[in-house]
Amino acid sequence: MENNVMTPAAVRSGHPGRTIQKMAGDDKSGRSPAGGGRSPLGADRRKPQRSSKAAIVWLILFLVLAGLLLFKGYGPARAVEFSQSEFEEKLAAMQIVSVEMTWENGNVMVCEGKFRRQGLSSVPVTTTPVQSPRSGDAEIRPNADETYKTRVVYTDDLARLLQKSGANVVVKPNNSGFWNFILIGVLPLVVVIGFIYFFSMRQMRASGRGAMDFGRSKARMIPPDELNVHFDDIAGADEAKEEIREIVEYLKDPLRFQLVGGQIPKGCLIVGEPGTGKTLIAKAVACEAGVPFFSISGSDFVEMFVGVGASRVRDMFEQARKNTPCLIFIDEIDAVGRSRFSGWGGGHDEREQTLNAMLVEMDGLESRNGVIVLAATNRPDVLDPALLRPGRFDRQVVMDLPDIVGRRQILDVHVKKIKVDSSVNLDVMARTTPGFSGADLANLCNEAALLAARYNREAVTQADMEEARDKVSYGRERRSRRITDRERKLTAYHEAGHALVALHNKYATPLHKVTIIPRGTAYLGATFSMPKEDAYTRSKLELEADMEMTMGGRAAEEIIFGDITTGASGDINQLTHTARLMVCLYGMSDKLGTIKYGNFPAHPHMPFDAQPEERVSPETAREIDLEIRRLSQNALESARDCLTRHRDELEKLAKALLERETLSIDEINVLLGRDPEPDALGRPEQTLRPTEDDGTAEQGL
């Protein structure tokens, strides 16, 4: 049967009067039930990164060489360039001190050496030369030796001038061409290439994406002693643990199964809503069995290069065969295991090749005894049929949302991590949280601890737990929001209308509390109703009663103010949705009969337009619209009649809400003189927010 039980609340959104009732089976995105949020499956054993000192040394060397090549030297003194005529004039004036001659080619030679501004016959060099600096040039010392450089053509006249000048002439062999070529032509290129290679290889090693490792598997092998998760740490999933325990027993004692001819499932697909503990139970299997655990995500296989994913699949199974017996866990396998027949063509070749490689490795010609594949997904409907057949994933383990007993067990696990007051009633919290996953309950306990710390309490109280529950479901209270007296009055009567219709209809979901405190981003008030127990089917009378309660706010506005507001938009949306389900899906219309009309999603995350279209004739569509209108109008008229008969109670309840803002079911029964319900979820009087007067706290829930 389909799970279509309404959940615990009718909540106002936007303006006075919107109510929202959610399905008890609707999931809340969360994490694992007993272990909080998902965490890495063990420490990532990577080598420490190399020090950056080597990079700094390479950078400094590169800059030094570039500077030497650019400036052809260093220091403040630079060689003065002479032409041949100037050089001959200096020789004639006896200003050249030394000459180092190097043959270049033919009669051309390079001359370098020292010269003086004054001739050799002039005044000798002073010990303290007078400095006369010029901007951008070397310091000029009148009697100090300076460096020169010139390129001249060797002639007989130049030879005679060199003999008469009295300069110290040295002829050097021409062996610098090779070294100049190395220094100027080769060395800069080598330095640049080495610099680029060093940083590129260092970055590739740091990211683990070396050229040789690109097709290697990214699966991490985690030893069992690092997991530290046992079946006792998982609460609220007794059936799933019992079903998957066979894998643990086989890994511990395979001979017992082999003697009777039994074969353990080669693969096990763990299916469940987000936050129900799929990853956690896989870790518990590996920890209990005491075997190596390979963990990888389905998205790690898919790359932009075709063939890389298939190569990683083959490498992963090759590593697993070397460590048998072992477990391979593929999280979110729908990323790579989607059906190959879902489109009309133009499929992603990389993803399909990866899937084909996985199909062959799981059940192909080669044997893989001792390798068990576990996979987790919350979208089993999109997986390829070849992946789900016996011989690959032989068994599917369902991690369902916990029932009331499971929620109590999960709360027992998480309250051990926080300090709670003796007045906290976990039975009430388990009953008032239908549809919560294990991750939601873990978040609830954590939020309650944060609230207690915020108000300087030594332990978590029942008020903290309830406020945390409402915060997780509908958002935080917005007491700072400025609301006019008119809107506040509208909200009070609107929520009082919801509450009274629920009180006077025995088929409606039992009332829990009413508040006119804004919450979240859209709610100006809320009417909370909690079922007495988990329910997976609803009767026609119960659905009609909830529809009447949904329209109680709009009916109260018409009766009290003679006008209607936009605040009932959420109520109308919920009413129309329920009426359409009754007519088109549940077969609860006498006029249209037990026939399914239109499209309805097969999965809660799948939109309506993703389903194959089921056409209905224009005449049938008109009859559907008329029947939905009839059910909606009947709900509004029933709510209006109820509030008209009990208008005095409506006035009394609305005024009490204006004064106290929040009323529990026990307080409402006392206010209206009704007998208390034997299983009402009234909470003890506890404090939540300290006031500025006497240090006590006002009731906020």
Side-chain angles (χ1 to χ4, degrees):
M1 287 187 180
E2 296 206 22
N3 179 5
N4 293 292
V5 185
M6 299 295 180
T7 83
V11 183
R12 293 195 54 238
S13 167
H15 293 278
R18 177 182 176 189
T19 61
I20 298 178
Q21 292 178 324
K22 301 188 293 184
M23 298 295 181
D26 288 353
D27 78 315
K28 296 171 175 288
S29 62
R31 291 135 301 271
S32 59
R38 285 181 181 172
S39 60
L41 301 177
D44 189 4
R45 299 182 174 180
R46 295 182 178 177
K47 296 181 179 179
Q49 294 185 353
R50 299 177 58 185
S51 173
S52 60
K53 293 182 179 179
I56 297 175
V57 172
W58 275 93
L59 181 61
I60 293 175
L61 179 61
F62 176 76
L63 294 177
V64 170
L65 291 176
L68 291 176
L69 295 174
L70 180 63
F71 297 105
K72 299 181 181 179
Y74 56 90
R78 296 182 182 177
V80 179
E81 297 283 346
F82 286 156
S83 64
Q84 184 164 353
S85 60
E86 291 176 340
F87 180 63
E88 291 176 351
E89 290 177 0
K90 296 290 184 183
L91 287 174
M94 303 181 66
Q95 295 180 0
I96 301 299
V97 178
S98 63
V99 180
E100 293 181 357
M101 305 175 64
T102 304
W103 292 100
E104 194 172 58
N105 51 30
N107 292 333
V108 179
M109 61 190 331
V110 177
C111 299
E112 298 179 347
K114 302 288 185 180
F115 81 99
R116 292 178 180 174
R117 298 284 177 178
Q118 299 178 359
L120 297 178
S121 61
S122 61
V123 181
V125 180
T126 59
T127 57
T128 57
V130 179
Q131 297 182 354
S132 177
R134 292 185 299 172
S135 174
D137 200 355
E139 296 179 355
I140 299 176
R141 305 179 186 180
N143 296 319
D145 293 343
E146 297 185 43
T147 304
Y148 73 92
K149 183 176 182 180
T150 182
R151 181 177 284 102
V152 298
V153 178
Y154 187 79
T155 61
D156 295 338
D157 295 336
L158 179 62
R160 289 191 294 268
L161 287 174
L162 287 172
Q163 292 178 356
K164 294 180 181 181
S165 66
N168 183 18
V169 179
V170 178
V171 179
K172 298 172 61 178
N174 188 8
N175 57 357
S176 61
F178 174 76
W179 296 109
N180 288 336
F181 172 74
I182 295 296
L183 181 64
I184 299 176
V186 177
L187 186 59
L189 183 62
V190 172
V191 171
V192 171
I193 294 176
F195 190 74
I196 296 174
Y197 175 80
F198 173 78
F199 279 99
S200 61
M201 291 301 297
R202 187 169 182 267
Q203 186 175 10
M204 291 176 69
R205 291 192 199 101
S207 60
R209 297 287 298 276
M212 301 301 296
D213 296 336
F214 196 74
R216 299 290 299 275
S217 172
K218 293 185 177 181
R220 295 174 295 167
M221 188 180 73
I222 306 173
D225 54 349
E226 292 187 7
L227 296 174
N228 196 25
V229 178
H230 302 274
F231 283 135
D232 295 337
D233 301 326
I234 303 176
D238 296 336
E239 293 83 2
K241 289 191 294 183
E242 181 179 355
E243 192 171 2
I244 207 170
R245 198 182 295 271
E246 292 181 5
I247 297 177
V248 177
E249 295 177 355
Y250 174 83
L251 292 172
K252 287 183 176 180
D253 186 14
L255 184 61
R256 179 162 60 96
F257 292 85
Q258 295 171 0
L259 288 176
V260 296
Q263 293 183 354
I264 197 66
K266 295 182 179 180
C268 181
L269 182 65
I270 306 174
V271 180
E273 299 292 338
T276 51
K278 300 183 292 294
T279 304
L280 196 68
I281 199 169
K283 293 167 63 177
V285 171
C287 185
E288 292 281 352
V291 297
F293 182 75
F294 289 87
S295 173
I296 193 171
S297 173
S299 60
D300 290 336
F301 292 111
V302 182
E303 291 285 352
M304 63 179 293
F305 302 107
V306 176
V308 173
S311 175
R312 290 178 178 174
V313 170
R314 291 189 292 267
D315 184 69
M316 179 182 66
F317 279 91
E318 184 64 27
Q319 294 180 28
R321 292 189 188 99
K322 296 177 181 178
N323 295 274
T324 55
C326 66
L327 283 171
I328 295 177
F329 177 62
I330 306 174
D331 199 7
E332 306 297 344
I333 194 175
D334 53 275
V336 70
R338 286 179 176 268
S339 176
R340 294 165 292 179
F341 315 106
S342 57
W344 291 99
H348 187 202
D349 291 339
E350 162 64 8
R351 181 177 59 80
E352 291 192 3
Q353 288 192 19
T354 305
L355 176 58
N356 291 334
M358 186 174 297
L359 295 176
V360 172
E361 290 292 339
M362 292 188 67
D363 187 22
L365 295 176
E366 295 185 7
S367 174
R368 58 174 188 87
N369 294 330
V371 179
I372 297 177
V373 181
L374 301 180
T377 181
N378 55 6
R379 292 296 307 275
D381 54 304
V382 302
L383 295 180
D384 195 279
L387 195 63
L388 300 178
R389 73 160 177 83
R392 292 194 175 108
F393 284 114
D394 307 86
R395 179 175 298 181
Q396 292 190 17
V397 176
V398 179
M399 298 288 293
D400 202 357
L401 291 172
D403 56 9
I404 185 170
V405 177
R407 292 195 296 272
R408 173 58 195 268
Q409 294 174 355
I410 295 174
L411 287 172
D412 288 335
V413 171
H414 291 294
V415 295
K416 294 178 182 178
K417 304 175 184 178
I418 62 177
K419 188 176 181 181
V420 297
D421 189 76
S422 58
S423 61
V424 173
N425 191 339
L426 295 182
D427 291 329
V428 171
M429 297 308 302
R431 177 178 164 184
T432 58
T433 51
F436 273 52
S437 66
D440 293 323
L441 295 173
N443 189 29
L444 185 151
C445 294
N446 183 62
E447 289 288 347
L450 296 178
L451 282 172
R454 181 181 304 167
Y455 298 112
N456 298 322
R457 279 192 282 274
E458 296 181 355
V460 176
T461 63
Q462 182 74 7
D464 294 323
M465 296 290 287
E466 295 199 4
E467 171 63 17
R469 177 202 61 206
D470 297 340
K471 181 179 179 181
V472 169
S473 300
Y474 310 109
R476 187 180 178 183
E477 290 184 353
R478 300 284 300 276
R479 289 180 175 270
S480 61
R481 179 180 292 179
R482 294 184 178 180
I483 302 176
T484 63
D485 293 339
R486 175 182 173 276
E487 286 188 335
R488 193 166 180 269
K489 186 176 180 180
L490 279 169
T491 303
Y493 278 98
H494 187 105
E495 301 304 332
H498 286 309
L500 279 180
V501 173
L503 285 175
H504 291 284
N505 193 322
K506 63 180 181 179
Y507 296 105
T509 306
L511 186 67
H512 177 49
K513 70 175 182 179
V514 186
T515 181
I516 60 172
I517 300 174
R519 186 177 291 276
T521 58
Y523 305 146
L524 294 180
T527 299
F528 296 87
S529 54
M530 298 293 177
K532 297 179 180 179
E533 58 187 7
D534 290 340
Y536 300 98
T537 58
R538 301 300 302 276
S539 67
K540 181 180 179 181
L541 292 176
E542 290 173 340
L543 292 175
E544 290 177 345
D546 286 337
M547 292 171 62
E548 293 175 12
M549 174 190 173
T550 302
M551 297 310 295
R554 168 58 65 89
E557 293 177 5
E558 294 179 356
I559 294 173
I560 300 299
F561 302 100
D563 194 7
I564 56 178
T565 66
T566 59
S569 60
D571 301 335
I572 296 172
N573 183 34
Q574 178 63 34
L575 174 74
T576 306
H577 179 69
T578 304
R580 183 173 296 276
L581 290 176
M582 292 176 63
V583 173
C584 300
L585 188 62
Y586 301 150
M588 293 182 177
S589 171
D590 297 333
K591 186 175 182 180
L592 292 172
T594 55
I595 300 176
K596 177 179 177 292
Y597 300 98
N599 301 330
F600 292 92
H603 191 273
H605 302 300
M606 188 177 297
F608 280 89
D609 54 6
Q611 301 294 318
E613 184 177 2
E614 296 184 8
R615 297 182 179 275
V616 295
S617 64
E619 294 79 6
T620 304
R622 183 174 184 278
E623 291 183 1
I624 291 173
D625 293 338
L626 291 176
E627 192 68 9
I628 292 174
R629 181 186 300 175
R630 183 186 66 81
L631 291 175
S632 302
Q633 192 65 27
N634 289 344
L636 178 60
E637 292 177 358
S638 299
R640 188 185 295 117
D641 294 341
C642 177
L643 295 180
T644 302
R645 293 194 306 269
H646 304 282
R647 179 163 182 170
D648 55 338
E649 294 182 350
L650 178 64
E651 297 280 358
K652 189 181 297 184
L653 183 56
K655 292 179 180 178
L657 283 173
L658 290 172
E659 294 176 0
R660 303 166 64 177
E661 293 187 331
T662 301
L663 295 174
S664 67
I665 181 59
D666 292 335
E667 294 169 335
I668 293 175
N669 288 331
V670 172
L671 177 68
L672 302 181
R674 296 168 54 90
D675 295 333
E677 299 181 10
D679 55 354
L681 298 180
R683 62 173 177 81
E685 293 293 333
Q686 297 183 16
T687 61
L688 183 64
R689 298 178 182 80
T691 60
E692 299 179 357
D693 300 338
D694 52 4
T696 60
E698 62 181 356
Q699 181 178 348
L701 290 177

